[in-house]
Amino acid sequence: MNKFAIGCIVVVVVLLLIGISIFVWGKNTYNKMVGLDEAVKEKWSQVENVYQRRMDLIPNLVATVQGYAIHEQETLTAVTEARSKAGGTIQAGADILNNPEAFQQFQAAQNSLSGALSRLMVVVERYPELKANEGFLALQSQLEGTENRITVERQRFNETAREFNIAIKRFPAILIANMLGFSERPYFEAKQGAEEAPDVQELMNKAKGE
């Protein structure tokens, strides 16, 4: 076998090894992205679950408060309307993660509902009999637990989304991400401006002064 033939064989072997290495790297990178993407979707489902849990508690809460605070119809209506708007965004499923605008609308609707509930809890301070009602106390406890869980699940979602976003932006993994359609996942952001829940102590003072 002459040197030319040997050289050709070496080149072929080297190219084959390079091709195999690229294939293995591409497969591993793709599988990692899929795993991280599924983790984001799983965390999102947990976020949806806790928000849905809050949605389910609100009708009984409103009905209980209404039985004692018949003069607070404006506040109760605000909660009901905010719940309706939030409910319209919660059915989007994991597809919302591919639509930053829809995700922002979801967050805004949920923040608006949080603000309405916060105002309702301030109104309750005017009604000692309601605050002593066992049914209301149970609902209030469940709602507080759900709000805490929402905070936890949002944070977990953000952490998982951040891990995914970093993975698809790193070079050369970004080449695979762009080629196969992996896109950045949105984050939950701190409430600002009109979406921020009112200062509870300030509203309590105002309510007591009326």
Side-chain angles (χ1 to χ4, degrees):
M1 183 177 296
N2 58 42
K3 292 183 179 180
F4 178 77
I6 294 174
C8 289
I9 293 174
V10 171
V11 170
V12 171
V13 171
V14 170
L15 291 175
L16 183 61
L17 291 175
I18 292 174
I20 292 173
S21 297
I22 293 175
F23 172 78
V24 172
W25 168 80
K27 177 178 71 69
N28 291 340
T29 301
Y30 171 76
N31 288 341
K32 179 181 179 180
M33 289 180 183
V34 170
L36 291 173
D37 193 29
E38 289 302 314
V40 173
K41 292 176 181 177
E42 190 274 331
K43 295 302 181 185
W44 172 250
S45 69
Q46 294 302 318
V47 170
E48 286 185 308
N49 287 340
V50 290
Y51 273 125
Q52 185 61 58
R53 171 60 177 161
R54 182 172 72 172
M55 297 277 291
D56 294 341
L57 288 171
I58 290 174
N60 287 338
L61 179 68
V62 169
T64 301
V65 173
Q66 196 167 30
Y68 289 82
I70 58 176
H71 300 297
E72 307 295 346
Q73 192 58 47
E74 182 178 349
T75 302
L76 293 168
T77 298
V79 171
T80 301
E81 290 179 351
R83 178 184 181 275
S84 178
K85 292 179 181 178
T89 63
I90 207 170
Q91 305 299 328
D95 289 342
I96 199 174
L97 301 179
N98 297 316
N99 188 334
E101 183 178 349
F103 187 89
Q104 290 178 359
Q105 291 174 353
F106 173 89
Q107 184 174 201
Q110 296 299 337
N111 288 344
S112 177
L113 179 54
S114 294
L117 285 171
S118 180
R119 289 187 287 273
L120 179 61
M121 291 300 102
V122 172
V123 165
V124 167
E125 294 296 319
R126 303 174 181 174
Y127 300 91
E129 291 184 2
L130 173 58
K131 291 173 62 180
N133 179 276
E134 291 184 3
F136 171 76
L137 291 176
L139 286 168
Q140 185 181 38
S141 177
Q142 292 179 61
L143 184 62
E144 290 174 351
T146 301
E147 292 289 354
N148 291 335
R149 197 65 196 167
I150 286 172
T151 300
V152 170
E153 295 301 342
R154 281 170 51 130
Q155 180 178 351
R156 289 177 176 174
F157 172 85
N158 278 354
E159 291 171 352
T160 307
R162 179 177 180 275
E163 184 180 1
F164 172 80
N165 290 340
I166 290 174
I168 68 170
K169 289 179 179 179
R170 284 176 173 162
F171 184 84
I174 191 173
L175 302 176
I176 297 293
N178 290 340
M179 184 172 60
L180 298 179
F182 288 99
S183 58
E184 184 176 1
R185 296 310 187 196
Y187 298 108
F188 282 105
E189 300 176 354
K191 292 176 286 186
Q192 299 179 9
E195 296 175 1
E196 188 170 359
D199 183 270
V200 174
Q201 188 60 49
E202 180 181 343
L203 287 178
M204 286 178 64
N205 293 338
K206 181 179 179 182
K208 291 177 181 178
E210 292 179 351

